[in-house]
Structures are given as C-alpha cells and as structure tokens.
Amino acid sequence: MKHILPLKELESLTIWQSQLGDLANPIHYASAINIQGCDPSSLIKALHGMVNIRIAEETIADMVTAGHVKCPVHLAIGQEAVSVGIATNLRKSDRAFGNHRSHGHYLAMGGDVRKLFAEVLGKSTGCSHGFGGSMHLFAQDVGFYGSVPIVAGTIPLAVGAAIAAKFDKTGDVAVAFFGDGACEEGVFHECLNMAAIMKLPVIFVVENNLFSSHLDINLRQPSDKIARFAEAACINHKTIDGNDVASVMKESGELISKARMQNSPALLEAITYRWRGHVGPREDIDVGLRRSPEDISAWKMRDPVERLLKSLISNNHYTRAEFDEFTKQTRAEFTKISADVHKDSWPAENTLMDYVYASE
Ligand SMILES: Cc1ncc(C[n+]2csc(CCOP(=O)(O)OP(=O)(O)O)c2C)c(N)n1
Ligand SMILES: [Mg+2]
C-alpha cells in the first residue's frame, strides 16, 4: 500500500476521486492571490503575522535540533494563512481553542512569543508555567483558551464556550481549530449536531492538510472533502484555499459576523499542507516513513507568504526590500529571545500540584 501519493497520481485525480479537485493538487493555486478590494494595511499586517509565526516555528525547530526541547513539537510551517486569516476577525472576548499543532493559533491570536518559547522549553515563565509544553498553550488575555493534544478534544470545549456566549448574549463567538484527522472522532459529529440544533455561535475551522500523521486522507476516508459532514449536520460551510490569506480573511469574516449576529454555527474547511513531518523539525520524514520530496517542493509553490507578498508588490503596496528587512529584524529578535529564555528557571518542585485544580 502506498502511503504518500506521488504527484503523477495527484495529476490524474480520477484515480482516487478527489472531491476537492484542484484544491488538493499543488500544481494549482500557486500564483499570486487576488487582493482586489482588500485593505492594504490589513494585508501587510497579515503578512507580518504569517512571517512571525514562520520564524517563531523555525526558531523552535532549531531549539529541537539543538536538543534543548524535551516535549514533542508539531510545526505548522506552510499553514500560517489559516490562523492569521481567522484571527483578523476575532476580538479578545471571543474564545478560540487549538490542538497539538497550535503555535500558529496562539501567536495569531496575540499570544506572547517569549512565553511560547519558554513553554516549549518547560520553563516556569512559559504560558502554562512550564507544565504543558508545545501542545498545551494558553493565553486567556487574548482569547486563546487552550490547545490540547487529544485529537478533537477541544471541539466540545468550543461548543461549550459558544453556549456560554449565547446565554450571556455577548455577541462573542467560539472557534475550534482542528485537523482533518479530528473529523474521524465521533465527538466532532456530536458537536456539529449540537451546534446546529442549539443554534450556537461557533466556527469549526478544519485545517485540512490532507494528512493525519503519516496517513493520506484518501487512505482513511472515502472523500477528501471534510465539509460534507457539515452538509449532513445542516451547518453553513465553505471549502477554500487555506494558503490564500485574503480568502481566509474574507470568507471567515462573513461566517464569523453571521455567527455573532444570528447565533449561526459554521464550518470553514481550509485546504493547506504542512512542510515539516508530522512531529519534529525534519521535512524528509513522517511517522515511520519517508516523505516524497516532489510533493513537498510542489506544495511550497503554494506558499501563503510568498503568494501574498507577490500580490502586494505587484500592486505597489509593499517592496521586497521592506519584506527582507522585516524578516531580518524578526529573526534577530526571536533568536535573542530564544537565547535569553534559556536562563529562566524550571518550575519549582513544590508548585507541581498548583495548576491541577482550579482555585477560587
Ligand atoms: C484521541 C487521539 N488519538 C490519536 C492521537 C495521536 N495523534 C496525534 S496527532 C494525530 C494526527 C491528527 O491529524 P489531524 O487532526 O489531521 O492534524 P494534523 O496533525 O494534520 O495537523 C494523531 C493520530 C491523539 N493524540 N489523540
Ligand atoms: Mg491533518
């Protein structure tokens, strides 16, 4: 059995009956994105947001390679447009939830990068006091109510937060970020049903990167399109190019404002791809097998950062030199923070039980 579909099979989609079609095929959607009608300053902010996430994750990857990190690390390099695009439409009183691959969600919402690095290293200054590691991030002050590695584990938490927002009549929304693999858990379907029947202000954001660890979606499901489950639950849904940040901003903006005004749940399926293996910093390996270099190179042509940058440059909103300068400064800043955070203390032994139970 083949675990990774080579490009030539991707080109003849009829072999595995892709419902996503071109969206799942990296030879398409590789050019500059359409930014007509978009506010240039919001787009530049989104570009910077994506670069921040990418460089933060590259810095974390270097920490792992250097042997400083003791927890598993799942990188979302290549998927930055989803978290950044959604976060532009959220406010601090909204409640967002992540999964095992949530550095990008946390940072896009406004989570502190130093606290992220400290958490990944297990330091007491981390966003979860060093008790959580890469997969348990938390930043309540910016509306990020936590990431959890139990696949699909946070989807019902988002539904609960949506019930609270509806009862409190705040106009806030809840957002659950999760992957295509999470849709294979029963609780996902229960949550869609409950959100529909109770009319809850919750947005289910599926980052469909076509893989659950090493397994291609076509070896796991009869269709590669996750939005079919929303159809079955009578929930409003959209399937979009998740590497086009302008599209994520626009489409999620419509769904989120409808959720705020009408308590209407929605599912946004964003098609994307991770550039690194399922866990760890390497590109060339996944869980127990080699990744196809051709697929990775092809998907890099659909780079969300480069595609937005090209559009901004061709519309005279930004220059390559400005981009290079921003990138250089961010890299220098994050390198300094990552060196500095090593000096922080480990959690004290007598604090071990401090965060197990909620206190008054
Ligand atoms: C309930 C549960 N089952 C299995 C796992 C092991 N596991 C961790 S991540 C993962 C893959 C999840 O794939 P997906 O939801 O598509 O997210 P992605 O890794 O692609 O971002 C699996 C199976 C787990 N953490 N929790
Ligand atoms: Mg996946």
Side-chain angles (χ1 to χ4, degrees):
M1 184 193 282
K2 278 198 222 81
H3 292 288
I4 293 186
L5 293 163
L7 266 183
K8 63 176 169 23
E9 287 190 28
L10 282 170
E11 280 162 22
S12 48
L13 294 163
T14 47
I15 293 174
W16 43 279
Q17 304 202 336
S18 171
Q19 270 192 292
L20 292 176
D22 291 349
L23 276 176
N25 184 340
I27 63 171
H28 298 280
Y29 294 93
S31 46
I33 61 173
N34 180 3
I35 58 168
Q36 293 314 312
C38 300
D39 166 39
S41 64
S42 306
L43 291 173
I44 292 170
K45 214 169 147 204
L47 182 78
H48 290 176
M50 290 195 289
V51 171
N52 271 329
I53 294 171
R54 183 160 300 178
I55 295 178
E57 288 213 303
E58 285 171 353
T59 309
I60 291 172
D62 291 344
M63 293 178 189
V64 176
T65 307
H68 299 311
V69 179
K70 306 300 172 204
C71 61
V73 165
H74 303 76
L75 301 169
I77 295 174
Q79 301 187 191
E80 299 89 348
V82 186
S83 42
V84 168
I86 305 280
T88 53
N89 295 303
L90 296 179
R91 54 197 195 200
K92 285 187 170 45
S93 51
D94 292 326
R95 291 173 181 163
F97 297 81
N99 59 1
H100 55 287
R101 198 180 300 287
S102 267
H103 303 156
H105 308 140
Y106 167 95
L107 290 172
M109 297 283 299
D112 183 88
V113 72
R114 192 185 193 287
K115 289 184 180 173
L116 170 65
F117 290 172
E119 191 56 45
V120 170
L121 290 172
K123 300 290 186 167
S124 60
T125 47
C127 60
S128 297
H129 307 283
F131 288 103
S134 161
M135 299 188 289
H136 296 92
L137 307 176
F138 191 69
Q140 188 174 354
D141 53 327
V142 293
F144 189 66
Y145 275 67
S147 61
V148 170
I150 299 166
V151 170
T154 52
I155 306 175
L157 302 188
V159 170
I163 294 175
K166 184 173 179 179
F167 284 176
D168 294 343
K169 297 191 169 57
T170 56
D172 293 332
V173 297
V175 173
F177 289 101
F178 53 94
D180 46 296
C183 306
E184 291 154 13
E185 297 287 345
V187 70
F188 161 70
H189 303 273
E190 295 170 53
C191 285
L192 289 187
N193 188 65
M194 193 155 171
I197 202 81
M198 290 185 72
K199 294 194 171 39
L200 299 177
V202 56
I203 314 295
F204 301 97
V205 179
V206 189
E207 290 177 76
N208 185 353
N209 60 11
L210 311 171
F211 278 85
S212 174
S213 69
H214 58 291
L215 273 185
D216 189 296
I217 194 165
N218 296 285
L219 298 170
R220 306 171 356 240
Q221 298 195 27
S223 160
D224 51 4
K225 189 168 179 175
I226 298 297
R228 71 191 192 279
F229 298 123
E231 185 81 35
C234 305
I235 282 187
N236 197 6
H237 59 87
K238 292 179 181 182
T239 297
I240 62 169
D241 172 7
N243 286 12
D244 174 344
V245 75
S247 167
V248 179
M249 286 161 78
K250 178 175 174 292
E251 302 298 344
S252 68
E254 286 171 15
L255 297 177
I256 290 169
S257 56
K258 205 163 164 222
R260 284 196 205 290
M261 288 185 299
Q262 298 167 21
N263 285 316
S264 131
L267 181 142
L268 184 75
E269 178 179 16
I271 309 306
T272 186
Y273 199 80
R274 57 172 163 72
W275 291 7
R276 306 286 177 117
H278 168 67
V279 61
R282 290 179 61 162
E283 283 189 355
D284 59 338
I285 48 167
D286 234 317
V287 180
L289 52 89
R290 275 184 48 73
R291 300 209 319 149
S292 149
E294 294 80 21
D295 281 353
I296 301 162
S297 314
W299 275 97
K300 283 188 175 177
M301 302 298 287
R302 207 190 269 187
D303 179 1
V305 173
E306 187 61 26
R307 287 169 69 204
L308 172 59
L309 178 61
K310 276 186 190 149
S311 310
L312 288 169
I313 293 172
S314 63
N315 285 277
N316 297 318
H317 297 315
Y318 201 66
T319 64
R320 178 83 50 186
E322 285 174 304
F323 177 77
D324 290 344
E325 184 55 29
F326 180 80
T327 304
K328 197 173 116 195
Q329 276 179 17
T330 307
R331 204 176 291 284
E333 186 194 337
F334 288 3
T335 305
K336 189 171 174 303
I337 296 172
S338 77
D340 189 51
V341 92
H342 281 283
K343 297 176 209 138
D344 294 0
S345 60
W346 304 110
E349 210 173 317
N350 63 3
T351 62
L352 189 62
M353 300 299 282
D354 280 6
Y355 309 105
V356 176
Y357 300 104
S359 49
E360 289 298 309

